[in-house]
Amino acid sequence: MRMRATLGVVTGALALSAIAVPAAQADDAYGDTTVSGISVNAGKAVVVGSTATKTVTVSFTVKDDSGVKNAMALLWHGSDFDNADSAATANSSDAYAKCTKVNATTSTCKATYDLKPGYNAINAVAGTWKVWVIASGKDGDFVQKDNAKTFKLQRLSKLTVNASPEPVKKGKTITVTGKLTRANWDANKYSGYTAQPVKLQFRKAGSNTYTTVKTIKTNSTGNLSTTVKASVDGYFRYSFAGTSTTPAVNAAGDYVDVN
């Protein structure tokens, strides 16, 4: 998936705004324009499910001694901006971020982006994304950065647990099963997450704290299964620590009555 027409739209809009955009799309600046305080999704990872479009807000501050003229940003994934393999465009109707004047030299700017499973959110681009930004002053000064900020785009994860039999006699064997899945953006469904370490945890009845019993790995379909000896009443759950492409998740505890 390439940046396709998106980059063309951006460069065209910038040309109309009289901002000089270097042909190589490298970092560049002229004059005293600055961009700072870039925040993507309020500093949290962007987690996208299997079908629903996720709208993300990016905010930043622009300063120029002559006053701020305009600004825009792109979210992108890849080794370098010229070869970015996916993109989302802010404010598709006009390409610009919306900037609000704070004082004569400073404006706060915001832009929104839609990340849609199967379109610009595809499995191959989960992980670290970057923010390309450009801003200009009223005197023609500008600043452009290919990688002004990084953030995580992750595939939503789900985790289940079932402990049986219940009730069970003390000292007998309990089988704890479950499944770890994550959003498959290419297929618009949830698929098993293979060969991932997952902790089996237990919380005694009356306690608020889970302790780890053992760690096992998901099989080729994301399923989990292990056994433990029944000792006291309490809750079993599975806990996944997450990866760069998939957020951490805990299953809801399953209560076992031991008698």
Side-chain angles (χ1 to χ4, degrees):
M1 191 178 205
R2 307 308 257 179
M3 295 193 67
R4 304 181 309 281
T6 303
L7 186 54
V9 169
V10 172
T11 54
L14 290 175
L16 290 173
S17 67
I19 300 177
V21 181
Q25 300 298 326
D27 287 3
D28 201 3
Y30 176 81
D32 69 340
T33 309
T34 62
V35 174
S36 62
I38 298 174
S39 175
V40 181
N41 197 39
K44 299 177 290 185
V46 178
V47 181
V48 180
S50 62
T51 58
T53 297
K54 175 77 172 183
T55 300
V56 179
T57 298
V58 176
S59 60
F60 52 94
T61 299
V62 181
K63 292 185 177 182
D64 187 279
D65 64 0
S66 69
V68 176
K69 182 176 182 179
N70 52 35
M72 69 171 66
L74 285 177
L75 309 183
W76 65 280
H77 176 276
S79 57
D80 63 86
F81 188 73
D82 287 342
N83 297 300
D85 53 19
S86 185
T89 306
N91 306 323
S92 58
S93 62
D94 59 11
Y96 294 109
K98 296 178 181 179
C99 295
T100 301
K101 184 176 179 180
V102 176
N103 55 44
T105 64
T106 305
S107 292
T108 55
C109 302
K110 289 185 178 181
T112 57
Y113 306 77
D114 287 338
L115 292 163
K116 182 178 180 180
Y119 176 63
N120 52 9
I122 58 176
N123 293 345
V125 303
T128 301
W129 277 48
K130 302 160 189 174
V131 180
W132 178 95
V133 66
I134 191 167
S136 68
K138 293 180 179 179
D139 56 3
D141 292 352
F142 74 95
V143 62
Q144 176 189 303
K145 294 183 179 181
D146 284 0
N147 184 7
K149 184 75 174 181
T150 61
F151 66 97
K152 294 293 185 185
L153 177 64
Q154 297 182 317
R155 299 161 62 177
L156 181 62
S157 54
K158 296 183 177 182
L159 187 56
T160 64
V161 66
N162 182 61
S164 64
E166 46 185 316
V168 64
K169 291 189 177 297
K170 185 175 182 179
K172 295 295 185 180
T173 298
I174 299 171
T175 299
V176 186
T177 58
K179 188 166 187 175
L180 174 64
T181 59
R182 61 176 177 166
N184 182 339
W185 295 331
D186 297 347
N188 295 128
K189 64 179 184 179
Y190 285 86
S191 299
Y193 199 3
T194 302
Q196 296 302 307
V198 178
K199 294 178 180 178
L200 174 65
Q201 298 182 326
F202 180 73
R203 174 169 66 87
K204 292 181 180 179
S207 170
N208 295 319
T209 304
Y210 277 95
T211 57
T212 298
V213 178
K214 63 174 74 174
T215 299
I216 62 173
K217 285 191 174 183
T218 56
N219 68 9
S220 60
T221 57
N223 288 312
L224 295 155
S225 183
T226 190
T227 58
V228 294
K229 295 294 185 181
S231 57
V232 295
D233 295 352
Y235 299 83
F236 285 96
R237 76 175 185 184
Y238 281 117
S239 177
F240 174 60
T243 64
S244 62
T245 63
T246 309
V249 62
N250 294 319
D254 187 23
Y255 182 76
V256 174
D257 179 17
V258 178
N259 52 43

